[in-house]
Amino acid sequence: MDEPSTMDDGSGQHGNRHPVHRPVLLREVLMVLELREGLVVVDGTVGAGGHARAIVPHIGPGGVLVGLDRDSEILVPARAALAEVEAAGAGVRVSLHHLAHSQMHESLAAIGQSRCDRVLLDLGVSSMQLDRAERGFSFMADGPLDMRMDSSAPESAADWLASVGEQELADTIFQLGEERYSRRIARAITAERRRRPIVRTGQLADLVTAALPGAARHGRIHPATRTVQAIRMKVNDELGELERGLQAAVACLRPGGRLAVISFHSLEDRIVKHFLRAHCEVVTKKPITGSPDELRDNPRARSAKLRCGIVREEVA
Ligand SMILES: C[S@@+](CC[C@H](N)C(=O)[O-])C[C@H]1O[C@@H](n2cnc3c(N)ncnc32)[C@H](O)[C@@H]1O
């Protein structure tokens, strides 16, 4: 399952909130990427710059780190984090762009590069996004029902919930949220919106909780976790973006270049697995998961799966 939208620890479990974003599977990512000096690396989901910061020292001098994120707000801390490592004198050029990973060719063209050597995608939302109630990803702190990763995108979660048909809503909650009570929840949402618009995260969370049978309200994760995840994935077209991002990555990578993807949802992992088999020599026969220590310390890592492939040499 994906990392759910909670305010506590990003795991969807009721527990302590962790204030610092910890890059998931960092050691494993560095291992499969096989970095060396002079490489051009695209971090297609740069977020707060956790992985990127760790990559930079391995590609200097002469390397280039291109970081992309759909969320312009998150590029502010990323810029600060990467300015520090740049200043530390690794001799690496860092270039950050407010773009989706499916647009990575534009970011490379903007810095005069046509191809790259490594691509990393760490999917989903970051804990920084979850922690900002006004972005509407969280239901533990009430906020506007937004959930757009790119705030300039036309449709928020509230807009989508106002117009989607009940059947499509139920199917989305079932498929993207893997929520067995999807029909009851869809019925409750469409009934509620006839009374008043659904515009707050707290309102949605209460509505979903009330729609569930008693026993389902007291599980390991918050009862609205799966529904909120499904709505977020739909509003941001996360599976469509993943398909387009993978295509863009193999188009931009030089033959012999490496593509590493961390996913959190079984549907994402399936897409990545099939894509790598079709387009790459697969490095990770089985997905890499977190070490026992990481799984204990970082709840977000519990559903993370890392896969990596090498882009095949072009046949003349
Ligand atoms: C899990 S966080 C990445 C964290 C980052 N690896 C780090 O260590 O700080 C995922 C990030 O990807 C961004 N994102 C999600 N889908 C994207 C897409 N299609 N294109 C670009 N960025 C995307 C989100 O806005 C979020 O900031």
Side-chain angles (χ1 to χ4, degrees):
M1 291 293 294
D2 198 357
E3 76 286 32
S5 304
T6 67
M7 263 295 282
D8 53 5
D9 57 10
S11 70
Q13 294 164 317
H14 305 287
N16 295 330
R17 183 177 164 186
H18 69 79
V20 182
H21 174 81
R22 278 170 288 177
V24 165
L25 297 173
L26 178 58
R27 197 167 44 93
E28 293 80 359
V29 164
L30 294 176
M31 190 181 72
V32 297
L33 283 179
E34 291 203 347
L35 299 169
R36 59 176 185 276
E37 63 181 52
L39 293 185
V40 178
V41 179
V42 175
D43 183 341
T45 51
V46 73
H51 287 103
R53 268 176 75 101
I55 288 171
V56 165
H58 294 275
I59 58 173
V64 181
L65 187 285
V66 181
L68 311 181
D69 207 290
R70 264 171 126 178
D71 183 344
S72 60
E73 255 180 43
I74 210 157
L75 289 175
V76 177
R79 212 158 256 131
L82 289 161
E84 257 176 47
V85 280
E86 243 186 329
V92 171
R93 177 174 177 197
V94 175
S95 175
L96 298 182
H97 303 260
H98 176 214
L99 287 173
H101 48 61
S102 54
Q103 298 165 298
M104 68 180 76
H105 51 281
E106 282 180 38
S107 62
L108 288 168
I111 57 161
Q113 302 277 342
S114 55
R115 307 292 279 271
C116 59
D117 303 293
R118 303 286 185 267
V119 172
L120 171 64
L121 302 178
D122 173 18
L123 304 173
V125 271
S126 89
S127 47
M128 278 198 187
Q129 290 164 323
L130 294 173
D131 281 353
R132 301 201 54 183
E134 67 273 22
R135 297 297 303 274
F137 288 108
S138 162
F139 47 77
M140 302 296 279
D142 186 41
L145 191 54
D146 190 324
M147 295 197 201
R148 287 169 300 167
M149 286 183 186
D150 180 349
S151 303
S152 64
E155 192 173 57
S156 69
D159 297 333
W160 184 69
L161 280 184
S163 59
V164 63
E166 186 175 323
Q167 183 66 46
E168 184 186 344
L169 179 57
D171 291 347
T172 302
I173 296 171
F174 182 71
Q175 285 157 12
L176 299 183
E178 295 170 326
E179 169 60 72
R180 59 192 286 218
Y181 298 109
S182 56
R183 301 213 175 284
R184 300 168 74 127
I185 295 168
R187 206 175 314 127
I189 289 175
T190 50
E192 172 76 359
R193 79 182 180 198
R194 281 194 285 274
R195 285 190 286 272
R196 56 186 180 139
I198 304 167
V199 290
R200 306 289 299 177
T201 56
Q203 187 188 356
L204 176 65
D206 291 348
L207 183 59
V208 172
T209 305
L212 296 178
R217 291 184 204 154
H218 306 288
R220 191 178 59 85
I221 60 171
H222 186 289
T225 301
R226 297 176 199 281
T227 301
V228 168
Q229 173 187 293
I231 296 171
R232 190 204 81 216
M233 290 179 73
K234 178 71 183 178
V235 165
N236 293 290
D237 187 20
E238 291 180 35
L239 296 184
E241 254 306 304
L242 173 58
E243 304 257 16
R244 293 187 287 276
L246 293 170
Q247 292 286 356
V250 288
C252 289
L253 279 162
R254 277 183 255 278
R258 287 178 174 239
L259 167 60
V261 187
I262 304 172
S263 64
F264 297 86
H265 189 289
S266 54
L267 292 178
E268 287 174 343
D269 183 54
R270 197 176 315 153
I271 291 172
V272 175
K273 179 170 86 177
H274 291 302
F275 186 90
L276 291 182
R277 275 193 198 153
H279 297 274
C280 297
E281 183 193 318
V282 177
V283 173
T284 47
K285 298 292 174 231
K286 288 217 165 101
I288 297 177
T289 53
S291 65
D293 283 353
E294 181 169 11
L295 300 186
R296 189 193 58 230
D297 296 344
N298 188 359
R300 189 174 170 263
R302 289 181 197 153
S303 46
K305 289 197 167 95
L306 169 66
R307 293 185 187 267
C308 178
I310 303 176
V311 174
R312 293 196 185 104
E313 300 292 328
E314 276 154 8
V315 186

